[in-house]
């Protein structure tokens, strides 16, 4: 028997669903449709996810310096990512439960503080083992931020614009990535590598400032609060494995595993690939990453638009195929063809990001309000934890195949994602219940 309350549509507190047609005209119709409170929630989630991205990328960008400082091989450096993603699976699932039981905003602030504190702690690590532990603890906060922020905004967004709205939230990942790349270029250009990697981690304190603003300015959607308060089964892992939701939970986790396995393979190893296999300097690596990140930013925005136009499943299918093609092509560019490497970075970043744009809306629509945090938090982050196998595998294959050759392994993840969609329904236009 379901633990969820009777269906109740969630709409913005600023205007009911009947106002949607008057507020949805123009390029920024999705933003107007959120209402004043919804726009503050949007700003908080956007900033939180951008800084989440910034803190995450301090590690991949510093990987070469870390490996040299601690004398690590490729397999050991790959473990940093694996530990982060495994811990994020636990943290994300717990954050989802907290979001259902204590509110979206409160859970969001806890995740931001957690990843900020332990990112800074990484900069003080005296050895490989302590850095591994700090990175795992950072992963607890890193895992929860996206799922909680996406739910917070989804419950303010109209059904018509939910894909675009959450696609813009997703684009903040590229913003944080870009900030990290800029900081990396500046810090590593003026400091010795042995100090520069520590400074990169210390700048991870910045997200803590966001929490002060969020505490005063951001609130949960009123309708979502009312539904959660009436539900006896809120925040329950058991509920998402009951017969009525079991199929959804299994296939949503497989979908998340495939997409994130492919994505984190690239996010983790492309900076190393550019420096080791392609022999690029710090400044040139930053330039190549600019093309990749620019493609990612536009991919998030485009994918958000297409997920509303084509539907959730078609959008993911399309970009799963294109991402697999791009990753194979990028990993097999002939030696010396660095201009082609530069050019292909844009479509690679575009495709591997556009596939993510529908995730926030899709996972939110697959679960009812009472267990939306638990459902979205678990499936997204369990998929992230299992997907951690991919970048680790690349790390161990890199010594014999080269990083470029091993990157192709990430294409398998996109195949898993495409197959997982066969077990999930289309949810475009669905009102949240």
């Amino acid at each position: 028997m379901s633990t969820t309350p009777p269906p109740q549509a969630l709409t913005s507190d600023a205007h009911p669903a009947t106002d949607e047609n008057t507020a949805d005209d123009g390029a920024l119709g999705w933003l107007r449709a959120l209402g004043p409170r919804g726009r503050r929630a949007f700003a908080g989630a956007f900033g939180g996810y951008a800084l989440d991205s910034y803190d995450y990328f301090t590690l991949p960008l510093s990987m070469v310096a870390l490996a040299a400082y601690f004398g690590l091989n490729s397999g050991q450096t790959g473990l940093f990512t694996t530990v982060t993603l495994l811990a994020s699976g636990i943290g994300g699932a717990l954050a989802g439960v907290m979001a259902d039981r204590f509110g979206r905003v409160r859970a969001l602030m806890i995740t931001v503080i957690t990843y900020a504190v332990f990112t800074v702690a990484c900069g003080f690590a005296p050895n490989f083992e302590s850095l591994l532990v700090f990175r795992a603890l950072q992963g607890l906060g890193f895992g929860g931020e996206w799922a909680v922020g996406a739910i917070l905004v989804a419950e303010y967004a109209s059904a018509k614009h939910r894909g675009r709205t959450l696609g813009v939230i997703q684009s903040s990942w590229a913003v944080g990535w870009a900030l990290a790349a800029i900081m990396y270029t500046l810090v590593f250009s003026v400091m010795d590598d042995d100090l520069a990697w520590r400074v990169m981690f210390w700048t991870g304190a910045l997200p803590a400032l966001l929490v002060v603003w969020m505490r005063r300015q951001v609130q949960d959607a009123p309708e979502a609060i009312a539904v959660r308060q009436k539900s006896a089964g809120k925040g329950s892992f058991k509920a998402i494995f009951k017969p009525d939701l079991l199929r959804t939970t299994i296939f949503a986790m497989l979908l998340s595993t495939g997409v994130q396995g492919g994505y984190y393979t690239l996010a983790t190893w492309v900076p190393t690939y550019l420096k080791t296999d392609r022999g690029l300097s710090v400044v040139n690596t930053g330039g190549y990453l600019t093309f990749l990140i620019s493609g990612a930013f536009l991919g998030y925005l485009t994918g958000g638009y297409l997920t509303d136009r084509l539907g959730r499943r078609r959008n993911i299918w399309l970009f799963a195929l294109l991402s697999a093609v791009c990753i194979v092509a990028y990993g097999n560019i002939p030696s010396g063809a660095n201009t082609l490497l530069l050019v292909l970075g844009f479509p690679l970043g575009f495709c591997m990001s556009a596939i993510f744009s529908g995730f926030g809306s899709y996972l939110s629509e697959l679960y009812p309000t009472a267990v939306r945090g638990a459902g979205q938090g678990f499936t997204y982050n369990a998929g992230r934890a299992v997907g951690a196998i991919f970048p680790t595998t690349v790390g161990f294959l890199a010594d014999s195949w080269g990083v470029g050759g091993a990157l192709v392994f990430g294409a398998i993840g996109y195949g898993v994602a495409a197959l997982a969609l066969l077990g999930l329904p289309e949810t475009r236009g669905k009102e949240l219940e």
Side-chain angles (χ1 to χ4, degrees):
M1 182 175 180
S2 173
T3 60
T4 60
Q8 178 179 344
L10 299 183
T11 59
S12 170
D13 64 302
H15 42 74
T18 53
D19 288 341
E20 185 177 318
N21 291 333
T22 62
D24 64 2
D25 296 328
L28 295 179
W30 60 269
L31 186 60
R32 291 193 295 272
L34 287 171
R37 286 186 179 180
R39 287 192 285 272
R40 289 195 294 271
F42 172 87
F46 188 98
Y49 196 47
L51 292 169
D52 194 20
S53 170
Y54 179 93
D55 277 12
Y56 173 79
F57 278 106
T58 54
L59 175 64
L61 290 168
S62 304
M63 196 84 86
V64 174
L66 281 171
Y69 186 86
F70 291 117
L72 309 178
N73 59 38
S74 295
Q76 288 174 309
T77 53
L79 282 175
F80 283 125
T81 298
T82 300
V83 166
T84 302
L85 298 184
L86 286 174
S88 75
I90 299 170
L94 293 176
V97 171
M98 287 192 296
D100 286 337
R101 293 187 178 182
F102 309 123
R104 313 322 193 192
V105 173
R106 186 176 298 178
L108 188 61
M109 289 191 295
I110 291 172
T111 64
V112 173
I113 291 172
T114 301
Y115 72 67
V117 168
F118 288 108
T119 297
V120 173
C122 287
F124 292 99
N127 51 46
F128 167 71
E129 292 77 13
S130 60
L131 181 57
L132 204 60
V133 170
F134 289 145
R135 191 64 181 180
L137 294 171
Q138 188 263 2
L140 293 176
F142 165 70
E145 200 286 333
W146 179 85
V148 177
I151 294 168
L152 172 66
V153 177
E155 290 173 342
Y156 275 107
S158 65
K160 181 175 181 179
H161 294 304
R162 194 172 296 119
R164 266 166 285 189
T165 305
L166 272 296
V168 178
I169 290 290
Q170 196 81 50
S171 74
S172 66
W173 180 264
V175 174
W177 190 3
L179 290 174
I182 291 169
M183 185 63 71
Y184 159 78
T185 303
L186 292 174
V187 171
F188 275 83
S189 295
V190 300
M191 295 182 182
D192 182 78
D193 284 7
D194 289 350
L195 175 62
W197 69 265
R198 294 187 184 276
V199 173
M200 282 292 295
F201 283 119
W202 292 336
T203 62
L206 294 173
L209 300 176
L210 177 67
V211 173
V212 177
W213 178 81
M214 288 176 59
R215 182 177 177 131
R216 296 179 177 275
Q217 299 296 326
V218 184
Q219 299 175 332
D220 288 10
E223 296 88 347
I225 295 173
V227 173
R228 289 199 308 274
Q229 289 174 342
K230 293 177 183 178
S231 174
K234 60 186 177 181
S236 169
F237 284 129
K238 183 179 178 181
I240 66 173
F241 286 99
K242 287 190 174 182
D244 57 336
L245 290 174
L246 178 60
R247 178 187 176 93
T248 295
T249 297
I250 291 173
F251 281 98
M253 187 180 74
L254 285 174
L255 176 65
S256 296
T257 296
V259 171
Q260 296 188 89
Y263 180 86
Y264 283 108
T265 294
L266 292 166
T268 301
W269 287 106
V270 164
T272 300
Y273 170 61
L274 293 175
K275 290 193 71 174
T276 58
D277 285 32
R278 311 304 300 199
L280 300 182
S281 67
V282 168
V283 173
N284 285 337
T285 296
Y288 278 72
L289 288 176
T290 298
F291 268 73
L292 189 68
I293 296 168
S294 298
F297 181 74
L298 293 177
Y300 286 129
L301 298 180
T302 303
Y305 173 78
L306 289 178
T307 199
D308 282 335
R309 293 298 298 267
L310 300 178
R312 309 328 188 203
R313 297 168 82 235
R314 287 182 180 178
N315 183 70
I316 295 173
W317 259 323
L318 172 64
F319 287 107
L321 173 62
L322 293 177
S323 295
V325 170
C326 285
I327 195 173
V328 171
Y330 196 77
N332 287 281
I333 294 173
S335 178
N338 283 353
T339 299
L340 182 59
L341 185 75
L342 181 70
V343 172
L344 277 182
F346 187 90
L348 176 66
F350 184 95
C351 294
M352 74 183 204
S353 300
I355 193 172
F356 267 110
S357 292
F359 260 56
S361 52
Y362 196 29
L363 295 181
S364 293
E365 291 159 356
L366 288 173
Y367 290 94
T369 297
V371 294
R372 183 167 296 123
Q376 186 158 337
F378 175 81
T379 55
Y380 186 82
N381 288 288
R384 176 186 274 166
V386 178
I389 295 170
F390 287 80
T392 301
T393 302
V394 170
F396 283 105
L397 292 175
D399 289 334
S400 56
W401 293 16
V403 178
L407 279 176
V408 176
F409 187 78
I412 296 173
Y414 293 112
V416 172
L419 291 175
L421 287 170
L422 297 175
L424 294 170
E426 176 57 59
T427 59
R428 177 176 58 166
K430 180 180 179 180
E431 294 288 352
L432 300 186
E433 301 176 349

